[in-house]
């Protein structure tokens, strides 16, 4: 094949966020934009000659075209083998597993996760390293710095590759293998969970379920595992066909966006269990009949019950949560004398802890939970964990949750998102909060007295790396917290996330509505950050 070197001009905005580079499709379609970023990645890696690269995405608009470009660039940059999901499809956790299983050098995952898809919406690309996890900051910083000075990229002259036929093709030095995107992952799930018990529980009718794939990547995975392997009825998986625009919907698994599932689970004929996953398959929403399980509670309940699952029968080495996630899992860790780590938001921060064997389970409040089986959060894994738990405990979801609260207390929790805030206003809010930090400790606001106020920083206990400015925390003497953080996952302006948490030990108060129980903290959060006053808005875009 002929290798061409194409002259290009750098773009100034290719700084990867929390999980890769995310922009509108039209931005990625600009001349050289995708090529510049991919070449910046390849240039920043150690020797790529003779290495294996995993490639796939969530099927959103521009996925197939981008894959064809990346194939040609990988060929020109010396890779010897590409493992590509059939149709260009790979869920993010499946890609992580394939990198690990086949000892690949790394992988490029094409996704903007839970963001909308389509010609006018979002696209994204991120690099995962050889442990299967997202590239740590030392890599992403190098990618960005290279993108600021890049003046050319290398690309091979070759025909587009047939992405839909499983099998291998050799083109000069490059072997291209199209793989079944589901098989390896399904085999991994079978090694962790009690599929015989699940099949019996579903077959007997003890467990009825509904899984909403949201017209995103997990549809084929859920059909294979839940329907074909575990025997759930065909209609147990809804919105199962991945679509380039996710059917015009927002593939974010929460009560607002997975409304079809929410209406069913809170209706008169709800099944035992309901769940949803997002665009690239790494997030999960867990519900039972008449109950929604917050991701923070889900992580804590998983940790408390992990030994009921075959893959974790020997116990946990430790647990970790992102800083904004509620302290529910901390209480489980304290009770069972497990190490518990608090990290910045972003799955890459869990990778070192997992690789070092310091933790087994980890999770974030943003609907992500995972374990040491891969180095990404994993939506369908969480669904199978809960199904296995229900089957073993022989209890409905609501009973499992209420029993947990009775034992450990309830961290009443909510997140308020103000989306697409003008960047200048968002930065002004953060600066306003920063300026208050020295004076807040000791102040009393209604029933709350400030114990500490700081900007969270993290020293990695494995490699010693330091991450600063990871969110502003205001903690109170009763264990309640307000956390303010600008999110790096959007593509327009900034999203201000406000996390609110109040601990309630008294069982008679465990069934309070979260917004009512947190009302005083919600008012205090506005008093401190002034988001409504500064933006002119009257309410958050999303409350979870």
């Amino acid at each position: 094949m002929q290798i061409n070197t194409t002259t290009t001009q750098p773009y100034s905005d290719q700084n990867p966020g929390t999980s890769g580079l995310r922009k509108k499709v039209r931005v990625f379609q600009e001349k050289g934009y995708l090529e510049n970023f991919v070449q910046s990645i390849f240039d920043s890696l150690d020797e790529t000659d003779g290495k294996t690269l995993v490639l796939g995405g969530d099927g959103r608009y521009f996925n197939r075209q981008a894959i064809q470009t990346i194939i040609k660039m990988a060929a020109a940059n010396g890779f010897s083998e590409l493992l590509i999901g059939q149709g260009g499809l790979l869920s993010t956790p499946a890609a992580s597993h394939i990198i690990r299983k086949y000892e690949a050098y790394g992988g490029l995952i094409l996704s903007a996760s839970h963001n909308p898809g389509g010609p006018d919406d979002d696209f994204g690309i991120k690099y995962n390293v050889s442990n299967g996890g997202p590239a740590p900051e030392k890599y992403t910083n190098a990618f960005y710095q290279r993108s600021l000075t890049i003046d050319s990229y290398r690309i091979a002259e070759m025909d587009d590759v047939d992405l839909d036929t499983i099998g291998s093709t050799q083109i000069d030095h490059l072997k291209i293998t199209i793989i079944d995107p589901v098989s390896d992952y399904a085999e991994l799930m079978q090694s962790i969970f009690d599929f015989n018990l699940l099949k019996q529980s579903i077959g007997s009718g003890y467990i009825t379920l509904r899984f909403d794939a949201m017209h995103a990547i997990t549809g084929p995975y859920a059909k294979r595992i839940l329907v074909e392997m575990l025997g759930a009825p065909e209609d147990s998986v809804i919105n199962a066909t991945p679509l380039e625009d996710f059917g015009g919907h927002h593939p974010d698994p929460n009560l607002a966006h997975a409304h079809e599932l929410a209406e069913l689970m809170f209706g008169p004929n709800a099944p035992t269990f309901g769940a949803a996953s997002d665009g690239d398959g790494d997030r999960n929403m867990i519900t039972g009949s008449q109950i929604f399980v917050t991701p923070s509670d889900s992580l804590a309940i998983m940790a408390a019950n992990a030994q009921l699952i075959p893959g974790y029968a020997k116990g946990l080495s430790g647990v970790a949560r992102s800083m904004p996630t509620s302290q529910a899992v901390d209480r489980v860790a304290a009770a069972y004398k497990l190490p518990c780590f608090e990290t910045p938001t972003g799955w890459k921060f869990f990778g070192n802890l997992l690789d070092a064997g310091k933790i087994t389970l980890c999770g974030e409040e943003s609907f992500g939970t995972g374990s040491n089986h891969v180095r990404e959060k994993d939506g369908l894994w969480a669904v199978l964990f809960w199904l296995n738990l229900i089957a073993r405990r022989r209890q409905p979801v609501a009973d499992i949750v209420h029993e947990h609260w009775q034992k450990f207390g309830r961290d009443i929790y909510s997140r308020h998102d103000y989306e697409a805030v003008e960047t200048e206003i968002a930065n002004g809010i953060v600066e306003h909060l920063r300026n208050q930090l020295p004076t807040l400790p000791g102040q009393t606001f209604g029933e709350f007295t400030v114990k500490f106020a700081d900007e969270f920083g993290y020293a990695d206990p494995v490699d010693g790396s330091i991450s600063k400015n990871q969110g502003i925390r205001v903690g109170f003497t009763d264990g309640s917290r307000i956390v303010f953080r600008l999110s790096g996952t959007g593509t327009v302006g900034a999203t201000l996330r406000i996390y609110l948490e109040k601990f309630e030990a008294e069982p008679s108060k465990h069934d309070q509505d979260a917004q009512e129980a947190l009302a005083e903290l919600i008012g205090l959060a506005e008093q401190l950050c002034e988001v409504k006053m500064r933006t002119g808005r009257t309410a958050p875009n999303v409350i979870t």
Side-chain angles (χ1 to χ4, degrees):
M1 64 182 77
Q2 182 174 324
I3 309 300
N4 295 330
T5 298
T6 302
T7 301
T8 189
Q9 297 291 324
Y11 289 88
S12 62
D13 63 347
Q14 295 192 329
N15 192 5
T18 308
S19 196
L21 182 67
R22 294 179 186 172
K23 300 288 180 184
K24 295 295 182 186
V25 167
R26 62 179 175 271
V27 174
F28 272 100
Q29 290 174 325
E30 290 176 19
K31 183 180 179 182
Y33 194 89
L34 171 68
E35 291 87 345
N36 277 20
F37 188 61
V38 172
Q39 189 65 57
S40 296
I41 292 172
F42 291 163
D43 285 351
S44 304
L45 299 175
D46 292 332
E47 189 63 46
T48 56
D49 283 358
K51 299 294 197 307
T52 298
L53 184 73
V54 172
L55 183 57
D58 60 16
R60 67 178 57 233
Y61 187 87
F62 195 57
N63 189 74
R64 291 178 77 100
Q65 300 97 306
I67 284 176
Q68 296 291 355
T69 297
I70 294 168
I71 290 170
K72 294 165 188 173
M73 293 187 68
N77 281 273
F79 284 94
S80 62
E81 183 170 13
L82 300 179
L83 298 176
I84 306 172
Q86 186 180 23
L89 300 177
L90 274 180
S91 78
T92 291
S96 179
H97 174 54
I98 288 164
I99 291 169
R100 293 167 63 79
K101 178 176 179 179
Y102 295 104
E103 299 181 342
Y105 186 63
L108 286 171
I109 299 174
L110 309 185
S111 172
S113 186
H114 54 295
N115 294 11
D120 298 318
D121 283 305
D122 300 343
F123 188 76
I125 180 170
K126 70 172 183 173
Y127 182 75
N128 280 33
V129 294
S130 59
N131 77 341
E137 285 184 325
K138 66 178 181 181
Y139 284 85
T140 55
N141 289 340
F143 301 162
Y144 176 50
Q145 292 304 317
R146 177 60 183 137
S147 76
L148 295 174
T149 61
I150 192 168
D151 58 8
S152 65
Y153 61 83
R154 294 186 295 282
I155 190 164
E157 275 191 31
M158 53 188 282
D159 292 336
D160 281 357
V161 171
D162 176 5
L163 299 176
D164 299 308
T165 303
I166 291 174
S168 295
T169 306
Q170 189 76 36
I171 306 174
D172 289 358
H173 66 277
L174 181 66
K175 181 181 180 183
I176 299 172
T177 302
I178 308 298
I179 62 171
D180 181 324
V182 179
S183 293
D184 290 308
Y185 177 84
E187 188 179 86
L188 177 64
M189 293 302 103
Q190 200 165 13
S191 74
I192 297 171
F193 301 107
D194 189 341
F195 271 36
N196 289 333
L197 175 64
L198 287 174
K199 195 169 184 178
Q200 184 274 325
S201 298
I202 292 169
S204 68
Y206 178 73
I207 292 178
T208 53
L209 65 109
R210 189 67 55 89
F211 177 83
D212 188 350
M214 304 191 84
H215 286 304
I217 191 63
T218 52
Y221 293 82
K223 280 286 190 184
R224 178 83 59 87
I225 295 170
L226 298 176
V227 176
E228 295 175 23
M229 297 176 74
L230 297 178
E234 194 76 26
D235 63 0
S236 298
V237 180
I238 60 173
N239 302 318
T241 304
L243 299 175
E244 288 192 333
D245 65 348
F246 307 115
H249 300 297
H250 193 152
D252 194 355
N254 57 46
L255 294 173
H257 294 306
H259 54 85
E260 182 181 353
L261 177 69
E263 287 172 11
L264 174 69
M265 297 310 298
F266 286 90
N269 300 306
T272 312
F273 178 80
S277 192
D278 70 328
D280 67 333
D282 62 358
R283 298 179 186 229
N284 70 90
M285 180 176 77
I286 301 297
T287 64
S289 177
Q290 317 306 316
I291 188 169
F292 161 70
V293 186
T294 72
S296 295
D297 278 343
S298 181
L299 174 63
I301 291 166
M302 285 177 168
N305 293 275
Q307 287 180 273
L308 298 178
I309 307 298
Y312 310 101
K314 293 179 180 177
L316 306 178
S317 60
V319 294
R321 63 167 173 84
S322 65
M323 181 274 285
T325 301
S326 96
Q327 299 160 98
V329 75
D330 302 42
R331 305 182 200 288
V332 175
Y336 293 122
K337 296 181 171 54
L338 291 171
C340 183
F341 298 86
E342 183 180 40
T343 73
T345 296
W347 208 259
K348 57 194 172 188
F349 293 103
F350 294 135
N352 279 355
L353 298 171
L354 290 164
D355 285 349
K358 290 182 177 293
I359 62 170
T360 309
L361 292 185
C362 46
E364 298 182 329
E365 51 69 39
S366 53
F367 294 79
T369 36
S371 86
N372 58 355
H373 70 290
V374 291
R375 294 297 180 267
E376 291 276 5
K377 47 187 175 273
D378 190 346
L380 204 48
W381 166 89
V383 169
L384 291 164
F385 196 116
W386 269 92
L387 287 170
N388 204 155
L389 194 55
I390 295 164
R392 273 297 304 275
R393 289 189 51 154
R394 311 304 285 180
Q395 288 178 293
V397 173
D399 287 3
I400 293 172
V401 172
H402 286 110
E403 228 175 76
H404 182 88
W405 288 345
Q406 286 171 7
K407 183 173 181 180
F408 297 99
R410 181 187 176 191
D411 285 84
I412 302 173
Y413 185 85
S414 185
R415 188 181 91 189
H416 289 200
D417 289 2
Y418 291 84
E419 297 176 342
V421 177
E422 286 182 36
T423 302
E424 189 175 335
I425 293 174
N427 290 336
I429 290 170
V430 171
E431 196 56 37
H432 176 63
L433 286 164
R434 266 194 200 117
N435 293 336
Q436 297 175 73
L437 293 178
T439 62
L440 284 175
Q443 286 195 50
T444 297
F445 302 88
E447 66 176 277
F448 298 102
T449 299
V450 179
K451 182 178 180 181
F452 68 90
D454 65 11
E455 190 156 16
F456 181 61
Y458 178 67
D460 192 298
V462 179
D463 66 14
S465 60
I466 304 294
S467 299
K468 297 180 179 179
N469 304 327
Q470 297 294 319
I472 289 173
R473 304 185 296 181
V474 181
F476 302 94
T477 52
D478 67 348
S480 300
R481 293 192 311 165
I482 304 175
V483 172
F484 303 90
R485 182 177 156 270
L486 294 183
S487 170
T489 60
T491 58
V492 177
T495 295
L496 176 68
R497 302 200 197 281
I498 302 174
Y499 311 84
L500 307 132
E501 176 180 3
K502 180 181 180 182
F503 179 65
E504 183 56 71
E506 174 53 50
S508 65
K509 297 181 179 179
H510 283 169
D511 285 327
Q512 293 179 81
D513 175 79
Q515 303 312 309
E516 292 175 11
L518 295 167
E520 191 172 347
L521 281 176
I522 293 167
L524 178 52
E526 170 60 22
Q527 184 180 332
L528 293 173
C529 79
E530 301 177 344
V531 61
K532 291 179 182 176
M533 187 189 83
R534 288 168 180 255
T535 62
R537 302 187 190 189
T538 57
N541 297 81
V542 179
I543 295 176
T544 47

